[in-house]
Amino acid sequence: IMGKFENAIHEMCAIENQAGEDNFLNNIHALAKLFVTVLYVCMVTSFPKYNVTGLVGMIIYPLIIFNLGDIKFGKCIKRIRLILPLICIIGIFNPFFDRNVLLTMGGVKITGGEISMVTLMIKGILTVIAIYILIITTTIDRVCMALRKIHIPEIIVMIIQLIYRYINVLLKETKRIVEAYSLRAPGQKGINFKAWGSLPGQLLLRSIDRATDVHNSMSLRGYNFNNVQIRNYKLSGRDYVWMIVWTLVIIAFRVYPVFEIVGGLFT
Protein backbone atom coordinates (compact mmCIF):
# COMPACT_ATOMS: atom_id res chain seq x y z
CA ILE A 1 0.00 0.00 0.00
CA MET A 2 2.80 2.40 0.91
CA GLY A 3 4.41 1.90 -2.47
CA LYS A 4 1.19 2.85 -4.27
CA PHE A 5 0.92 6.16 -2.39
CA GLU A 6 4.58 6.93 -2.96
CA ASN A 7 4.23 6.19 -6.67
CA ALA A 8 1.13 8.40 -6.90
CA ILE A 9 2.92 11.30 -5.20
CA HIS A 10 5.99 10.76 -7.37
CA GLU A 11 3.90 10.71 -10.56
CA MET A 12 2.12 13.96 -9.65
CA CYS A 13 5.43 15.68 -8.97
CA ALA A 14 6.91 14.29 -12.20
CA ILE A 15 3.95 15.54 -14.26
CA GLU A 16 4.13 18.98 -12.67
CA ASN A 17 7.89 19.19 -13.24
CA GLN A 18 7.53 18.16 -16.87
CA ALA A 19 4.75 20.70 -17.40
CA GLY A 20 7.04 23.40 -16.01
CA GLU A 21 9.98 22.64 -18.32
CA ASP A 22 11.23 25.30 -20.71
CA ASN A 23 10.61 23.94 -24.20
CA PHE A 24 8.69 24.87 -27.33
CA LEU A 25 5.49 22.98 -26.56
CA ASN A 26 5.30 24.04 -22.92
CA ASN A 27 5.85 27.68 -23.87
CA ILE A 28 2.79 27.75 -26.14
CA HIS A 29 0.11 29.83 -24.44
CA ALA A 30 -2.21 27.72 -22.27
CA LEU A 31 -5.28 29.28 -23.88
CA ALA A 32 -4.09 28.20 -27.34
CA LYS A 33 -3.52 24.63 -26.15
CA LEU A 34 -6.81 24.62 -24.27
CA PHE A 35 -8.68 25.81 -27.37
CA VAL A 36 -7.07 23.14 -29.57
CA THR A 37 -7.78 20.43 -26.98
CA VAL A 38 -11.46 21.36 -26.66
CA LEU A 39 -11.81 21.56 -30.45
CA TYR A 40 -10.11 18.19 -30.86
CA VAL A 41 -12.32 16.52 -28.26
CA CYS A 42 -15.46 17.97 -29.86
CA MET A 43 -14.42 16.80 -33.33
CA VAL A 44 -13.48 13.32 -32.13
CA THR A 45 -16.75 12.79 -30.28
CA SER A 46 -18.78 14.09 -33.25
CA PHE A 47 -17.88 11.16 -35.53
CA PRO A 48 -20.75 8.82 -36.43
CA LYS A 49 -20.73 5.51 -34.60
CA TYR A 50 -19.78 3.50 -37.69
CA ASN A 51 -17.05 5.79 -39.04
CA VAL A 52 -13.96 3.97 -37.76
CA THR A 53 -11.65 4.87 -40.65
CA GLY A 54 -12.31 8.59 -40.32
CA LEU A 55 -11.84 8.43 -36.57
CA VAL A 56 -8.49 6.67 -36.91
CA GLY A 57 -7.27 9.65 -38.93
CA MET A 58 -7.65 11.86 -35.85
CA ILE A 59 -4.62 10.13 -34.36
CA ILE A 60 -2.59 12.67 -36.32
CA TYR A 61 -2.83 15.21 -33.46
CA PRO A 62 -1.40 13.12 -30.59
CA LEU A 63 1.10 11.53 -32.97
CA ILE A 64 2.62 14.88 -33.93
CA ILE A 65 2.48 16.27 -30.39
CA PHE A 66 4.21 13.20 -28.93
CA ASN A 67 7.08 13.68 -31.36
CA LEU A 68 7.15 17.47 -31.10
CA GLY A 69 7.15 17.53 -27.30
CA ASP A 70 9.25 14.39 -26.80
CA ILE A 71 6.42 12.81 -24.79
CA LYS A 72 6.82 9.11 -24.18
CA PHE A 73 3.84 7.14 -25.47
CA GLY A 74 4.58 4.22 -23.16
CA LYS A 75 4.60 6.46 -20.10
CA CYS A 76 1.34 8.04 -21.26
CA ILE A 77 -0.36 4.63 -21.47
CA LYS A 78 1.09 3.67 -18.08
CA ARG A 79 -0.32 6.78 -16.42
CA ILE A 80 -3.81 6.43 -17.91
CA ARG A 81 -3.95 2.63 -17.63
CA LEU A 82 -6.56 2.77 -14.85
CA ILE A 83 -8.91 4.81 -17.04
CA LEU A 84 -8.57 2.66 -20.16
CA PRO A 85 -10.62 -0.31 -18.83
CA LEU A 86 -13.46 2.06 -17.91
CA ILE A 87 -13.37 3.48 -21.43
CA CYS A 88 -13.52 0.02 -22.96
CA ILE A 89 -16.49 -0.96 -20.79
CA ILE A 90 -18.58 1.93 -22.18
CA GLY A 91 -19.43 0.19 -25.44
CA ILE A 92 -18.98 -3.42 -24.45
CA PHE A 93 -22.71 -4.15 -24.65
CA ASN A 94 -23.18 -2.65 -28.13
CA PRO A 95 -22.69 -6.00 -29.96
CA PHE A 96 -25.64 -7.44 -28.03
CA PHE A 97 -28.04 -4.65 -29.06
CA ASP A 98 -26.94 -3.92 -32.62
CA ARG A 99 -26.63 -7.23 -34.48
CA ASN A 100 -27.06 -5.97 -38.04
CA VAL A 101 -24.26 -7.31 -40.22
CA LEU A 102 -22.46 -4.44 -41.96
CA LEU A 103 -19.28 -6.09 -43.23
CA THR A 104 -17.98 -9.50 -44.12
CA MET A 105 -14.20 -9.96 -44.07
CA GLY A 106 -12.75 -13.34 -44.89
CA GLY A 107 -16.03 -15.03 -44.15
CA VAL A 108 -16.28 -13.33 -40.75
CA LYS A 109 -19.42 -11.26 -40.24
CA ILE A 110 -18.93 -7.93 -38.48
CA THR A 111 -22.00 -6.38 -36.92
CA GLY A 112 -22.80 -2.74 -36.39
CA GLY A 113 -22.55 -3.23 -32.63
CA GLU A 114 -18.98 -4.44 -32.90
CA ILE A 115 -18.02 -1.49 -35.09
CA SER A 116 -19.73 1.03 -32.79
CA MET A 117 -18.01 -0.59 -29.79
CA VAL A 118 -14.59 -0.08 -31.40
CA THR A 119 -15.56 3.48 -32.35
CA LEU A 120 -16.50 4.34 -28.76
CA MET A 121 -13.26 2.87 -27.47
CA ILE A 122 -11.16 4.85 -29.94
CA LYS A 123 -13.08 8.03 -29.10
CA GLY A 124 -12.48 7.53 -25.38
CA ILE A 125 -8.79 6.73 -25.78
CA LEU A 126 -8.11 9.71 -28.08
CA THR A 127 -10.03 12.05 -25.78
CA VAL A 128 -8.11 10.94 -22.67
CA ILE A 129 -4.78 11.19 -24.51
CA ALA A 130 -5.62 14.74 -25.67
CA ILE A 131 -6.37 15.80 -22.10
CA TYR A 132 -3.19 14.09 -20.90
CA ILE A 133 -1.20 16.09 -23.47
CA LEU A 134 -2.67 19.31 -22.11
CA ILE A 135 -1.83 18.35 -18.52
CA ILE A 136 1.71 17.18 -19.30
CA THR A 137 2.58 20.36 -21.21
CA THR A 138 0.78 23.01 -19.14
CA THR A 139 1.00 23.81 -15.44
CA ILE A 140 -2.20 24.17 -13.45
CA ASP A 141 -1.46 27.86 -12.86
CA ARG A 142 -1.30 28.57 -16.59
CA VAL A 143 -4.47 26.58 -17.21
CA CYS A 144 -6.25 28.62 -14.55
CA MET A 145 -5.00 31.89 -16.04
CA ALA A 146 -6.24 30.72 -19.45
CA LEU A 147 -9.67 30.02 -17.94
CA ARG A 148 -9.76 33.50 -16.46
CA LYS A 149 -8.80 34.96 -19.87
CA ILE A 150 -12.06 33.57 -21.25
CA HIS A 151 -13.92 35.00 -18.23
CA ILE A 152 -14.62 31.79 -16.32
CA PRO A 153 -15.77 32.98 -12.84
CA GLU A 154 -12.85 33.46 -10.48
CA ILE A 155 -14.38 31.31 -7.74
CA ILE A 156 -14.62 28.32 -10.11
CA VAL A 157 -11.05 28.75 -11.31
CA MET A 158 -9.77 29.08 -7.76
CA ILE A 159 -11.62 25.89 -6.72
CA ILE A 160 -10.04 24.00 -9.62
CA GLN A 161 -6.60 25.27 -8.68
CA LEU A 162 -6.92 24.49 -4.99
CA ILE A 163 -8.40 21.03 -5.59
CA TYR A 164 -5.39 20.18 -7.74
CA ARG A 165 -3.01 21.47 -5.09
CA TYR A 166 -4.75 19.68 -2.24
CA ILE A 167 -4.77 16.30 -4.00
CA ASN A 168 -1.06 16.11 -3.23
CA VAL A 169 -1.74 17.13 0.37
CA LEU A 170 -4.40 14.44 0.69
CA LEU A 171 -2.07 11.78 -0.69
CA LYS A 172 0.72 12.73 1.70
CA GLU A 173 -1.59 12.69 4.72
CA THR A 174 -2.98 9.32 3.65
CA LYS A 175 0.56 8.00 3.32
CA ARG A 176 1.39 9.16 6.86
CA ILE A 177 -1.73 7.56 8.35
CA VAL A 178 -1.19 4.26 6.55
CA GLU A 179 2.48 4.27 7.54
CA ALA A 180 1.58 4.89 11.19
CA TYR A 181 -1.01 2.10 11.06
CA SER A 182 1.44 -0.37 9.52
CA LEU A 183 3.99 0.39 12.27
CA ARG A 184 1.37 -0.39 14.92
CA ALA A 185 0.26 -3.57 13.14
CA PRO A 186 3.43 -5.15 11.72
CA GLY A 187 2.94 -8.10 9.43
CA GLN A 188 -0.71 -7.32 8.77
CA LYS A 189 -1.79 -7.15 5.15
CA GLY A 190 -3.93 -4.11 4.46
CA ILE A 191 -6.08 -2.29 7.00
CA ASN A 192 -8.43 -4.18 9.30
CA PHE A 193 -12.08 -3.47 8.55
CA LYS A 194 -12.58 -2.36 12.19
CA ALA A 195 -10.41 0.69 11.47
CA TRP A 196 -12.21 1.65 8.28
CA GLY A 197 -14.49 4.03 10.16
CA SER A 198 -11.92 5.89 12.26
CA LEU A 199 -9.12 6.25 9.72
CA PRO A 200 -11.15 8.24 7.12
CA GLY A 201 -12.27 10.58 9.91
CA GLN A 202 -8.68 11.13 10.98
CA LEU A 203 -7.68 11.63 7.37
CA LEU A 204 -10.38 14.28 6.91
CA LEU A 205 -9.35 16.20 10.06
CA ARG A 206 -5.64 16.01 9.30
CA SER A 207 -6.21 17.06 5.69
CA ILE A 208 -8.31 20.05 6.78
CA ASP A 209 -5.60 21.13 9.23
CA ARG A 210 -2.89 20.69 6.62
CA ALA A 211 -4.91 22.50 3.96
CA THR A 212 -5.51 25.37 6.40
CA ASP A 213 -1.76 25.65 6.97
CA VAL A 214 -1.15 25.69 3.23
CA HIS A 215 -3.78 28.38 2.71
CA ASN A 216 -2.35 30.51 5.53
CA SER A 217 1.12 30.18 4.05
CA MET A 218 -0.17 31.24 0.65
CA SER A 219 -1.95 34.24 2.17
CA LEU A 220 1.18 35.32 4.09
CA ARG A 221 3.15 35.20 0.85
CA GLY A 222 0.65 37.57 -0.76
CA TYR A 223 -1.32 35.05 -2.80
CA ASN A 224 -4.10 36.82 -4.66
CA PHE A 225 -5.63 35.55 -7.88
CA ASN A 226 -6.00 39.01 -9.33
CA ASN A 227 -6.26 40.25 -12.88
CA VAL A 228 -2.79 41.85 -13.02
CA GLN A 229 -1.07 38.54 -13.66
CA ILE A 230 -3.79 37.54 -16.11
CA ARG A 231 -3.45 40.74 -18.15
CA ASN A 232 0.29 40.16 -18.49
CA TYR A 233 -0.31 36.63 -19.77
CA LYS A 234 -0.99 37.51 -23.40
CA LEU A 235 -1.05 35.46 -26.57
CA SER A 236 1.77 35.98 -29.07
CA GLY A 237 1.77 35.58 -32.84
CA ARG A 238 3.14 32.06 -32.44
CA ASP A 239 0.16 31.13 -30.30
CA TYR A 240 -2.32 32.39 -32.89
CA VAL A 241 -0.49 30.45 -35.61
CA TRP A 242 -0.66 27.33 -33.41
CA MET A 243 -4.44 27.69 -33.03
CA ILE A 244 -5.08 28.46 -36.70
CA VAL A 245 -2.94 25.63 -38.05
CA TRP A 246 -4.36 22.99 -35.72
CA THR A 247 -7.90 24.23 -36.29
CA LEU A 248 -7.48 23.77 -40.05
CA VAL A 249 -5.83 20.35 -39.62
CA ILE A 250 -8.41 19.00 -37.18
CA ILE A 251 -11.38 20.24 -39.19
CA ALA A 252 -9.84 18.88 -42.42
CA PHE A 253 -9.42 15.42 -40.88
CA ARG A 254 -12.96 15.61 -39.51
CA VAL A 255 -14.63 16.65 -42.74
CA TYR A 256 -12.56 14.69 -45.27
CA PRO A 257 -11.36 11.06 -45.10
CA VAL A 258 -7.74 12.14 -45.53
CA PHE A 259 -6.23 8.69 -45.07
CA GLU A 260 -8.59 7.18 -47.64
CA ILE A 261 -7.80 9.97 -50.13
CA VAL A 262 -4.05 9.56 -49.66
CA GLY A 263 -4.34 5.79 -49.88
CA GLY A 264 -6.32 6.11 -53.12
CA LEU A 265 -3.44 8.01 -54.71
CA PHE A 266 -1.17 4.98 -54.37
CA THR A 267 -3.65 2.38 -55.60
Side-chain angles (χ1 to χ4, degrees), residues 245-267:
V245 169
W246 275 116
T247 298
L248 295 176
V249 171
I250 291 172
I251 292 178
F253 274 81
R254 172 61 184 90
V255 176
Y256 302 103
V258 179
F259 281 3
E260 294 182 13
I261 295 174
V262 174
L265 299 177
F266 298 94
T267 57

mmCIF file of all heavy atoms in Angstrom, residues 245-267:
data_model
loop_
_atom_site.group_PDB
_atom_site.id
_atom_site.type_symbol
_atom_site.label_atom_id
_atom_site.label_comp_id
_atom_site.label_asym_id
_atom_site.label_seq_id
_atom_site.Cartn_x
_atom_site.Cartn_y
_atom_site.Cartn_z
ATOM 1 N N VAL A 245 -3.417 26.810 -37.335
ATOM 2 C CA VAL A 245 -2.935 25.628 -38.052
ATOM 3 C C VAL A 245 -3.646 24.371 -37.559
ATOM 4 O O VAL A 245 -4.145 23.567 -38.370
ATOM 5 C CB VAL A 245 -1.409 25.478 -37.887
ATOM 6 C CG1 VAL A 245 -0.944 24.119 -38.405
ATOM 7 C CG2 VAL A 245 -0.684 26.595 -38.626
ATOM 8 N N TRP A 246 -3.728 24.197 -36.251
ATOM 9 C CA TRP A 246 -4.359 22.991 -35.718
ATOM 10 C C TRP A 246 -5.871 22.994 -35.952
ATOM 11 O O TRP A 246 -6.470 21.929 -36.140
ATOM 12 C CB TRP A 246 -4.058 22.825 -34.233
ATOM 13 C CG TRP A 246 -2.754 22.140 -33.988
ATOM 14 C CD1 TRP A 246 -1.642 22.639 -33.376
ATOM 15 C CD2 TRP A 246 -2.416 20.805 -34.380
ATOM 16 N NE1 TRP A 246 -0.638 21.708 -33.365
ATOM 17 C CE2 TRP A 246 -1.085 20.571 -33.964
ATOM 18 C CE3 TRP A 246 -3.096 19.796 -35.046
ATOM 19 C CZ2 TRP A 246 -0.434 19.358 -34.189
ATOM 20 C CZ3 TRP A 246 -2.451 18.590 -35.281
ATOM 21 C CH2 TRP A 246 -1.145 18.371 -34.851
ATOM 22 N N THR A 247 -6.469 24.165 -35.977
ATOM 23 C CA THR A 247 -7.900 24.231 -36.292
ATOM 24 C C THR A 247 -8.157 23.743 -37.713
ATOM 25 O O THR A 247 -9.071 22.949 -37.957
ATOM 26 C CB THR A 247 -8.419 25.674 -36.132
ATOM 27 O OG1 THR A 247 -8.269 26.088 -34.771
ATOM 28 C CG2 THR A 247 -9.886 25.762 -36.517
ATOM 29 N N LEU A 248 -7.328 24.196 -38.657
ATOM 30 C CA LEU A 248 -7.480 23.772 -40.046
ATOM 31 C C LEU A 248 -7.212 22.275 -40.201
ATOM 32 O O LEU A 248 -7.940 21.569 -40.915
ATOM 33 C CB LEU A 248 -6.530 24.574 -40.941
ATOM 34 C CG LEU A 248 -6.807 26.084 -41.044
ATOM 35 C CD1 LEU A 248 -5.727 26.762 -41.874
ATOM 36 C CD2 LEU A 248 -8.181 26.340 -41.634
ATOM 37 N N VAL A 249 -6.178 21.780 -39.516
ATOM 38 C CA VAL A 249 -5.826 20.355 -39.624
ATOM 39 C C VAL A 249 -6.930 19.474 -39.039
ATOM 40 O O VAL A 249 -7.369 18.495 -39.658
ATOM 41 C CB VAL A 249 -4.481 20.079 -38.923
ATOM 42 C CG1 VAL A 249 -4.218 18.574 -38.833
ATOM 43 C CG2 VAL A 249 -3.340 20.760 -39.663
ATOM 44 N N ILE A 250 -7.392 19.823 -37.850
ATOM 45 C CA ILE A 250 -8.406 19.002 -37.178
ATOM 46 C C ILE A 250 -9.721 19.005 -37.950
ATOM 47 O O ILE A 250 -10.350 17.951 -38.135
ATOM 48 C CB ILE A 250 -8.611 19.509 -35.735
ATOM 49 C CG1 ILE A 250 -7.362 19.222 -34.897
ATOM 50 C CG2 ILE A 250 -9.828 18.847 -35.092
ATOM 51 C CD1 ILE A 250 -7.389 19.850 -33.512
ATOM 52 N N ILE A 251 -10.132 20.170 -38.429
ATOM 53 C CA ILE A 251 -11.377 20.243 -39.194
ATOM 54 C C ILE A 251 -11.246 19.498 -40.516
ATOM 55 O O ILE A 251 -12.184 18.810 -40.955
ATOM 56 C CB ILE A 251 -11.776 21.718 -39.429
ATOM 57 C CG1 ILE A 251 -12.164 22.380 -38.095
ATOM 58 C CG2 ILE A 251 -12.925 21.815 -40.427
ATOM 59 C CD1 ILE A 251 -12.515 23.839 -38.213
ATOM 60 N N ALA A 252 -10.060 19.593 -41.158
ATOM 61 C CA ALA A 252 -9.844 18.878 -42.421
ATOM 62 C C ALA A 252 -9.955 17.374 -42.220
ATOM 63 O O ALA A 252 -10.587 16.670 -43.016
ATOM 64 C CB ALA A 252 -8.473 19.243 -42.996
ATOM 65 N N PHE A 253 -9.350 16.854 -41.139
ATOM 66 C CA PHE A 253 -9.415 15.420 -40.876
ATOM 67 C C PHE A 253 -10.808 14.991 -40.416
ATOM 68 O O PHE A 253 -11.153 13.817 -40.521
ATOM 69 C CB PHE A 253 -8.373 15.033 -39.820
ATOM 70 C CG PHE A 253 -7.019 14.742 -40.390
ATOM 71 C CD1 PHE A 253 -6.151 15.777 -40.700
ATOM 72 C CD2 PHE A 253 -6.620 13.444 -40.628
ATOM 73 C CE1 PHE A 253 -4.897 15.514 -41.230
ATOM 74 C CE2 PHE A 253 -5.374 13.161 -41.167
ATOM 75 C CZ PHE A 253 -4.507 14.213 -41.469
ATOM 76 N N ARG A 254 -11.579 15.939 -39.902
ATOM 77 C CA ARG A 254 -12.955 15.607 -39.507
ATOM 78 C C ARG A 254 -13.885 15.596 -40.712
ATOM 79 O O ARG A 254 -14.758 14.717 -40.832
ATOM 80 C CB ARG A 254 -13.460 16.626 -38.475
ATOM 81 C CG ARG A 254 -14.950 16.504 -38.136
ATOM 82 C CD ARG A 254 -15.250 15.137 -37.538
ATOM 83 N NE ARG A 254 -16.678 14.947 -37.296
ATOM 84 C CZ ARG A 254 -17.529 14.435 -38.183
ATOM 85 N NH1 ARG A 254 -17.091 14.060 -39.394
ATOM 86 N NH2 ARG A 254 -18.801 14.281 -37.885
ATOM 87 N N VAL A 255 -13.707 16.517 -41.614
ATOM 88 C CA VAL A 255 -14.633 16.653 -42.740
ATOM 89 C C VAL A 255 -14.287 15.681 -43.866
ATOM 90 O O VAL A 255 -15.181 15.075 -44.469
ATOM 91 C CB VAL A 255 -14.628 18.103 -43.261
ATOM 92 C CG1 VAL A 255 -15.507 18.227 -44.505
ATOM 93 C CG2 VAL A 255 -15.109 19.058 -42.170
ATOM 94 N N TYR A 256 -12.979 15.510 -44.140
ATOM 95 C CA TYR A 256 -12.560 14.690 -45.272
ATOM 96 C C TYR A 256 -11.856 13.416 -44.780
ATOM 97 O O TYR A 256 -11.072 13.471 -43.828
ATOM 98 C CB TYR A 256 -11.603 15.474 -46.176
ATOM 99 C CG TYR A 256 -12.186 16.756 -46.698
ATOM 100 C CD1 TYR A 256 -11.817 17.987 -46.142
ATOM 101 C CD2 TYR A 256 -13.102 16.759 -47.745
ATOM 102 C CE1 TYR A 256 -12.344 19.172 -46.604
ATOM 103 C CE2 TYR A 256 -13.639 17.938 -48.226
ATOM 104 C CZ TYR A 256 -13.256 19.148 -47.654
ATOM 105 O OH TYR A 256 -13.786 20.321 -48.117
ATOM 106 N N PRO A 257 -12.095 12.292 -45.437
ATOM 107 C CA PRO A 257 -11.358 11.058 -45.102
ATOM 108 C C PRO A 257 -9.950 11.116 -45.676
ATOM 109 O O PRO A 257 -9.650 10.512 -46.719
ATOM 110 C CB PRO A 257 -12.202 9.960 -45.760
ATOM 111 C CG PRO A 257 -12.860 10.634 -46.911
ATOM 112 C CD PRO A 257 -13.104 12.063 -46.481
ATOM 113 N N VAL A 258 -9.070 11.847 -44.996
ATOM 114 C CA VAL A 258 -7.741 12.141 -45.530
ATOM 115 C C VAL A 258 -6.954 10.869 -45.799
ATOM 116 O O VAL A 258 -6.305 10.733 -46.844
ATOM 117 C CB VAL A 258 -6.973 13.048 -44.547
ATOM 118 C CG1 VAL A 258 -5.567 13.341 -45.088
ATOM 119 C CG2 VAL A 258 -7.736 14.356 -44.347
ATOM 120 N N PHE A 259 -6.993 9.923 -44.881
ATOM 121 C CA PHE A 259 -6.233 8.689 -45.065
ATOM 122 C C PHE A 259 -6.729 7.905 -46.275
ATOM 123 O O PHE A 259 -5.934 7.320 -47.016
ATOM 124 C CB PHE A 259 -6.333 7.830 -43.807
ATOM 125 C CG PHE A 259 -5.412 8.278 -42.703
ATOM 126 C CD1 PHE A 259 -4.623 9.403 -42.853
ATOM 127 C CD2 PHE A 259 -5.334 7.576 -41.511
ATOM 128 C CE1 PHE A 259 -3.772 9.833 -41.852
ATOM 129 C CE2 PHE A 259 -4.484 7.986 -40.487
ATOM 130 C CZ PHE A 259 -3.701 9.123 -40.665
ATOM 131 N N GLU A 260 -8.047 7.889 -46.491
ATOM 132 C CA GLU A 260 -8.595 7.179 -47.645
ATOM 133 C C GLU A 260 -8.200 7.876 -48.947
ATOM 134 O O GLU A 260 -7.890 7.222 -49.942
ATOM 135 C CB GLU A 260 -10.109 7.100 -47.539
ATOM 136 C CG GLU A 260 -10.603 6.244 -46.381
ATOM 137 C CD GLU A 260 -12.115 6.158 -46.336
ATOM 138 O OE1 GLU A 260 -12.750 6.549 -47.342
ATOM 139 O OE2 GLU A 260 -12.663 5.711 -45.325
ATOM 140 N N ILE A 261 -8.179 9.206 -48.937
ATOM 141 C CA ILE A 261 -7.798 9.971 -50.134
ATOM 142 C C ILE A 261 -6.337 9.727 -50.459
ATOM 143 O O ILE A 261 -5.971 9.494 -51.621
ATOM 144 C CB ILE A 261 -8.076 11.466 -49.920
ATOM 145 C CG1 ILE A 261 -9.581 11.719 -49.755
ATOM 146 C CG2 ILE A 261 -7.518 12.275 -51.077
ATOM 147 C CD1 ILE A 261 -9.931 13.139 -49.398
ATOM 148 N N VAL A 262 -5.488 9.793 -49.436
ATOM 149 C CA VAL A 262 -4.046 9.561 -49.662
ATOM 150 C C VAL A 262 -3.798 8.128 -50.106
ATOM 151 O O VAL A 262 -2.990 7.880 -51.016
ATOM 152 C CB VAL A 262 -3.244 9.863 -48.376
ATOM 153 C CG1 VAL A 262 -1.789 9.497 -48.543
ATOM 154 C CG2 VAL A 262 -3.373 11.355 -47.997
ATOM 155 N N GLY A 263 -4.505 7.178 -49.483
ATOM 156 C CA GLY A 263 -4.344 5.786 -49.883
ATOM 157 C C GLY A 263 -4.789 5.535 -51.313
ATOM 158 O O GLY A 263 -4.217 4.720 -52.031
ATOM 159 N N GLY A 264 -5.837 6.276 -51.742
ATOM 160 C CA GLY A 264 -6.324 6.112 -53.116
ATOM 161 C C GLY A 264 -5.332 6.605 -54.148
ATOM 162 O O GLY A 264 -5.365 6.182 -55.301
ATOM 163 N N LEU A 265 -4.433 7.511 -53.767
ATOM 164 C CA LEU A 265 -3.438 8.012 -54.708
ATOM 165 C C LEU A 265 -2.384 6.974 -55.043
ATOM 166 O O LEU A 265 -1.709 7.075 -56.073
ATOM 167 C CB LEU A 265 -2.745 9.266 -54.119
ATOM 168 C CG LEU A 265 -3.658 10.467 -53.828
ATOM 169 C CD1 LEU A 265 -2.857 11.594 -53.193
ATOM 170 C CD2 LEU A 265 -4.300 10.978 -55.148
ATOM 171 N N PHE A 266 -2.208 5.992 -54.151
ATOM 172 C CA PHE A 266 -1.168 4.980 -54.368
ATOM 173 C C PHE A 266 -1.737 3.647 -54.826
ATOM 174 O O PHE A 266 -1.029 2.640 -54.870
ATOM 175 C CB PHE A 266 -0.379 4.782 -53.081
ATOM 176 C CG PHE A 266 0.350 6.000 -52.617
ATOM 177 C CD1 PHE A 266 -0.235 6.862 -51.702
ATOM 178 C CD2 PHE A 266 1.606 6.314 -53.123
ATOM 179 C CE1 PHE A 266 0.438 8.008 -51.263
ATOM 180 C CE2 PHE A 266 2.277 7.456 -52.694
ATOM 181 C CZ PHE A 266 1.700 8.295 -51.775
ATOM 182 N N THR A 267 -3.040 3.627 -55.142
ATOM 183 C CA THR A 267 -3.650 2.384 -55.603
ATOM 184 C C THR A 267 -4.166 2.536 -57.031
ATOM 185 O O THR A 267 -4.338 3.640 -57.524
ATOM 186 C CB THR A 267 -4.827 1.986 -54.701
ATOM 187 O OG1 THR A 267 -5.801 3.048 -54.659
ATOM 188 C CG2 THR A 267 -4.343 1.699 -53.298
#
